[in-house]
Amino acid sequence: MKCKASKSFHQLVDDHYQGLYRFAYSLCKDEHTACDLTQQTFTIYAQKGDSIRDPGKAKSWLFTTLYREFLRLYRRNHRTESRDPEILEETFHLSETPNPDTLDHPRVLGALEQLEEIYRVPLTLFYLRSLSYIEISEVLDMPIGTVMSRLSRGKTRLKRIFLDSTEIPNQ
Amino acid sequence: MNSEDAKAILLAWRKGDLPEEFPPLREAFAMAESDPVLTAWLEEEAIFDAKISSAVESIPVPEGLRDQILNAAESAEAPAHKKKMAPLLRLHRLLPIAASLLVLFLVSFLFLDPLTVEAEPGLNDYCDFVIDSDETIFGSNMKSENFGELMQFLQSKNAPTPSHLPPLIIDLNLVGASATSWRGIAVSVYELEDVNNATIQLFITQVISFPNPDELPTKPAFRKIDEKSLVIWRDGQHLHALASKDGGQSLSHYIKQ
């Protein structure tokens, strides 16, 4: 298969590798893992891309594949690693409660991390602005109405996190 | 639609994006355009969204990642000299395998009693299992309200764990989860409670376990077994079944019969 050497494969990489990397990073919070996930996603595309029924959906396919690879990795790691409750607790406390006026990506990711996964993933895709609503619903394999409802509830919770972080110092 | 309804919907609005597939958003947006208070609120929301988007989009992408991706894809390519063999040339390699299978089939036909071969697992059998399990699984192996924790618990038992629970039951409260098996196939059981404290169990197994997965219902459908009801449907690669301790009466609050 020569698709990866072709201009279209290069174009696909150019168009989406940054968005995919940022999505991967927001999921795993680790540069090396995010690089591996992004690279793995394109490698799978290079091997199986010819069998995608609708080439117009390559972008959704890439995000879906990356998300599945992440879930697979997450499951594998959580099967093999012994989870020390104290370490887990420490990790949770490490995520700072951010102030919305001084936003940078670690603070925003810290706030997103405090959300449940069902809200965090659609909201991250929403804020990345790489995918349309329909594409988000395809990646998450859920109806668009559910996506909208998760976005609405997730954003309410996210705003509450910011609000709480600004109220805490005044207490 | 009142102003609060519109706000709840517009929270999901992204500036410059009005999907045709979700008419309520268009309706709420039209309402906001004619209401100055809503317009001002929406502007503030858009500023908040822009700040978050800009922060997420500022995640630095490592230099060299693009080349790394292209190199990895290049090396994943099959060697050029491995050309496909013509079908006729491939055929002679398959002949010994075909002959072995034929002998195996004849031997099994002659020496095995067909009556001892277990029937193929079917949907009715699975429904019986769900109804019976509903009586036998008392309490959860793990009590928790956290979906992530329960998912990890089920993963540790090698039970099927979709990344999210079906939207149909999103308003029910999680109580716990158990892992069980049907004909040696792993089944996850999520225990839930509704607002009336009725216990509802969601059984999840792989559709691949069934002989005709394509014939499984794709929309929630009621099934009656021995005066008890359950709801069953296929969602992607998983078969979902809902059962309740009261024989299915509580389920009608969530699904129309």
Side-chain angles (χ1 to χ4, degrees), chain A residues 120-134:
Chain A
R120 186 174 67 243
V121 179
L123 216 49
T124 304
L125 290 170
F126 171 85
Y127 283 125
L128 270 172
R129 297 192 279 209
S130 294
L131 301 175
S132 68
Y133 289 102
I134 277 292

Side-chain angles (χ1 to χ4, degrees), chain B residues 141-200:
Chain B
N141 289 337
M142 182 177 179
K143 291 276 185 190
S144 171
E145 295 173 2
N146 184 302
F147 176 64
E149 276 181 18
L150 294 175
M151 194 166 81
Q152 282 179 21
F153 164 74
L154 290 167
Q155 281 162 1
S156 72
K157 306 283 180 192
N158 292 322
T161 50
S163 59
H164 57 273
L165 290 176
L168 193 71
I169 55 160
I170 199 72
D171 293 326
L172 300 177
N173 295 322
L174 268 174
V175 179
S178 321
T180 182
S181 71
W182 165 68
R183 290 176 174 265
I185 298 156
V187 180
S188 297
V189 187
Y190 283 97
E191 192 171 315
L192 307 120
E193 269 180 7
D194 69 6
V195 284
N196 301 309
N197 293 326
T199 301
I200 291 168

